[in-house]
Amino acid sequence: MGRGDLTNAEWDRLESFLPRGGGRGGRWSDHRRVINGVLYRVRTGVQWRDLPERFGPWETVYKRHRRWSADGTWKMLLSRIQAAEDAAGRIDWDVSVDSTAVRAHQHAADARKASAAEGPQKGNVRGTNQVDPVLPETGRPAGGGGRIGECLGRSRGGFTTKIHLAAEGRCRPLAFVLTPGHYGDGPQLEAVLEEISVPRSGVGRPRTRPDHVLADKAYTSRRNRRHLRRRGIKHTIPERLDQQKHRQNRGSRGGRPTGFDSERYKKRNTVERAINRLKGFRAVATRYEKRAYIYLGTVTLAALAIWLRT
């Protein structure tokens, strides 16, 4: 077993959830070896062609990662592990929200654009955690929706992608969405919270509502506060100085001051630490993938490794 490979305990937790057979009546190559190959690439950021021979043909490893990113297998595995942790009472539902910008490598540009029949990829306005289907005829994913559809935003330093993240109280990623790097944080709060869905171990709907949400001043809009109150979610979000002055200038019409618990707000560092854990994976800290859904699969696998090892 090499450095960073799945341990026997981690493999035992994943094995029962993995697909049993390959496509068109074929047989999958050894799941454990292939997953270790994908983990090696996500951890080190090497080019797929430079994978060590012990993981088998690099094409097999890459195609498995691409297919499981497209059909949601990585996301399914992450939700199963989260469900097991929740059933054991090991999830802290005080959730912190923040975002981080990721520089896109030059190889991430020039993805094939969508044809008129395929249409643009979802998520042009809000963040996206959706995946493109795999075409049954060719086994290749559908075309993207251009630069914005592939979650690439322009900045003075080049292309960037932003990961909007919700982390539970033990510094583990609970949900995330991707947007182009120039998208603001505040408008993505609803999208991030909508992605929280932890299945129950028995009967019942998945858990989607945190006990408490903590966020910085970027999320302090009235719309976000109304959304949280409508869902019955308690929150700790500081108010910006300009908002305070505007409310005070309006007198009694300005409404009551927003409640703010400074001691509880200290716990918001959990999302910063979760981001640091994610960016410990070099293929997450720098985006090399042209297609947004493959990069989303890379981030999901990194989050899965964090949950297995924390």
Side-chain angles (χ1 to χ4, degrees), residues 3 22 84 94 108 127 149-152 154 156 173 208 220 237 291:
R3 176 172 175 263
D94 279 2
E150 298 296 352
C151 298
L152 289 171
R154 278 286 188 184
R156 285 184 291 182
T208 60
T220 189
I237 304 175
R291 302 298 306 278

Side-chain angles (χ1 to χ4, degrees), residues 59-85:
E59 298 96 332
T60 300
V61 181
Y62 166 70
K63 289 179 180 179
R64 188 78 55 86
H65 177 53
R66 185 184 70 175
R67 179 177 294 274
W68 284 4
S69 298
D71 64 16
T73 299
W74 293 130
K75 184 177 180 180
M76 178 272 294
L77 293 174
L78 178 60
S79 66
R80 295 292 183 88
I81 297 301
Q82 288 175 344
E85 290 291 293

Side-chain angles (χ1 to χ4, degrees), residues 258-276:
T258 58
F260 179 72
D261 186 346
S262 58
E263 285 299 317
R264 191 158 201 167
Y265 187 69
K266 294 178 180 178
K267 195 176 180 181
R268 198 192 66 83
N269 69 82
T270 56
V271 68
E272 306 288 353
R273 291 152 65 189
I275 289 172
N276 287 340

